[in-house]
């Protein structure tokens, strides 16, 4: 099958969106011919497949669009349509998986099969256009993938739809360097340091657990903190942002991984709150790397995390968090079953299984 994947993104990127797109295309390309269309490749000399640890073969086409704006999203959609028309792609045989709302609208208007994946609420002009055309006959043909049930309820569409969490490739986490030394008395956090993701809580916990260390990997886009702010805290070590291919070996150095989310969680985009809709990619990475996960007890991922595969903290008190983390350090061997169960859970959420469900759903 020929599959085209549309994503309004510049690559490489620091956000989880880019990881999702590349790993989806990798999984889709195992049995299909896949072409990824993006805004821009920042450097044509960079091997994007290597950065994201993608073994599947798929082509990447960009349009040299650097800035994110409504007009550039329109331009992206027009360019996509021009290519499909020029190459005489058969609307009935071509399958499009889109992370672009406007791209999906344009292609569905010309009778192309489109499966549109949505991870957050819409804003601005895109929100207005979507609500204008959502009742139109041509848009009824679009099928939807939502990242969570709450998000699907928010949109309240009658279109065919499926709920799919993010995923992971557990094979990526088979550590090649068996000599990795575990860091003692140290927890790890990887991912965005945007508001609500947990850095503010880790700082407060570090003040209580002064003999424990906290290693942080991520970036400060839309964060309440800056790099230099962390120098005030002697047991917090900021390691910077790393490429996704490095994550397995990094996580391999630690026994305990943290997910101290707040009730409200923000992404890199300003004022875009996803706490009720998210499916954190770090969660799947942590499980695949066989960590003991200490996480906020939130409904949004309660179907994945439980007391069977993690340590869940029922409120946002730094004192309670410190108590739970201390308990894990003191009872690490006793809690070994949590790591095994987390890994078994991760295998249920593979990219392979995810794309199989999408293809079956799209072709139904």
């Amino acid at each position: 099958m020929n599959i085209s994947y549309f994503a309004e993104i510049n690559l490489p990127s620091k956000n989880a969106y880019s990881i999702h797109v590349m790993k989806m295309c990798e999984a889709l390309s195992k049995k299909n011919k896949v072409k990824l269309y993006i805004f821009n490749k920042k450097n044509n000399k960079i091997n994007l497949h290597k950065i994201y640890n993608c073994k599947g073969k798929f082509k990447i086409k960009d349009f040299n669009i650097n800035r994110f704006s409504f007009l550039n999203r329109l331009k992206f959609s027009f360019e996509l349509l021009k290519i499909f028309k020029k190459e005489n792609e058969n609307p009935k045989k071509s399958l499009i998986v889109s992370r672009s709302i406007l791209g999906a609208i344009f292609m569905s208007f010309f009778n192309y099969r489109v499966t549109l994946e949505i991870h957050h609420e819409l804003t601005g002009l895109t929100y207005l256009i979507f609500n204008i055309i959502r009742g139109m006959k041509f848009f009824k043909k679009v099928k939807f993938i939502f990242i969570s049930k709450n998000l699907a309820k928010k949109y309240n569409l009658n279109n065919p739809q499926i709920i799919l969490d993010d995923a992971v490739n557990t094979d990526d986490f088979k550590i090649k360097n068996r000599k990795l030394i575990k860091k003692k008395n140290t927890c790890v956090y990887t991912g965005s340091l945007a508001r609500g993701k947990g850095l503010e809580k880790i700082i407060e916990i570090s003040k209580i657990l002064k003999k424990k260390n906290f290693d942080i990997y991520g970036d400060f886009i839309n964060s309440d903190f800056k790099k230099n702010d962390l120098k005030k805290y002697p047991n917090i070590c900021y390691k910077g942002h790393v490429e996704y291919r490095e994550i397995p070996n990094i996580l391999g150095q630690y026994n305990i991984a943290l997910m101290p989310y707040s009730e409200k969680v923000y992404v890199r985009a300003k004022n875009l709150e996803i706490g009720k809709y998210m499916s954190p990619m770090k969660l799947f990475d942590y499980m695949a790397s066989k960590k003991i996960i200490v996480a906020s007890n939130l409904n949004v991922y309660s179907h994945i995390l439980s007391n069977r595969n993690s340590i869940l903290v029922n409120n946002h008190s730094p004192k309670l968090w410190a108590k739970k983390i201390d308990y894990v350090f003191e009872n690490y061997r006793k809690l070994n079953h949590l790591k095994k169960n987390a890994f078994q859970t991760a295998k249920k959420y593979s990219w392979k299984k995810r794309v199989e469900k999408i293809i079956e759903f799209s072709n139904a």
Side-chain angles (χ1 to χ4, degrees), residues 48-65:
L48 292 173
H49 289 71
K50 186 176 181 180
I51 287 174
Y52 293 96
N53 200 18
C54 291
K55 300 172 183 67
K57 294 180 179 179
F58 56 92
K59 293 181 179 179
I60 302 174
K61 166 69 177 173
D62 73 304
F63 297 101
N64 197 28
I65 300 171

Side-chain angles (χ1 to χ4, degrees), residues 148-162:
S148 72
K149 290 181 180 179
N150 288 340
L151 192 58
K153 290 177 183 177
K154 183 73 178 179
Y155 277 79
N156 192 27
L157 294 167
N158 292 322
N159 299 53
Q161 55 192 261
I162 188 173

Side-chain angles (χ1 to χ4, degrees), residues 52-82:
Y52 293 96
N53 200 18
C54 291
K55 300 172 183 67
K57 294 180 179 179
F58 56 92
K59 293 181 179 179
I60 302 174
K61 166 69 177 173
D62 73 304
F63 297 101
N64 197 28
I65 300 171
N66 292 303
R67 292 181 64 251
F68 293 96
S69 67
F70 180 77
L71 287 177
N72 279 340
R73 287 183 167 92
L74 278 179
K75 180 183 177 183
F76 181 63
S77 303
F78 275 119
E79 292 296 331
L80 291 170
L81 185 59
K82 278 168 60 179

Side-chain angles (χ1 to χ4, degrees), residues 104-162:
I105 291 170
F106 271 77
M107 301 309 289
S108 64
F109 184 76
F110 288 90
N111 293 316
Y112 286 94
R113 293 191 301 152
V114 181
T115 300
L116 175 60
E117 178 152 1
I118 296 183
H119 287 210
H120 55 76
E121 294 183 56
L122 300 181
T123 58
L125 284 171
T126 306
Y127 171 81
L128 293 173
I129 290 174
F130 183 86
N131 280 291
I132 290 170
I133 61 91
R134 64 182 286 165
M136 294 183 180
K137 189 175 181 180
F138 73 89
F139 201 60
K140 294 291 184 182
K141 298 176 184 176
V142 177
K143 296 184 177 184
F144 283 81
I145 304 166
F146 289 105
I147 199 72
S148 72
K149 290 181 180 179
N150 288 340
L151 192 58
K153 290 177 183 177
K154 183 73 178 179
Y155 277 79
N156 192 27
L157 294 167
N158 292 322
N159 299 53
Q161 55 192 261
I162 188 173

Side-chain angles (χ1 to χ4, degrees), residues 40 61 114 146 232 314 356:
N40 187 34
K61 166 69 177 173
V114 181
F146 289 105
K232 304 172 190 174
N314 288 324
E356 285 173 352

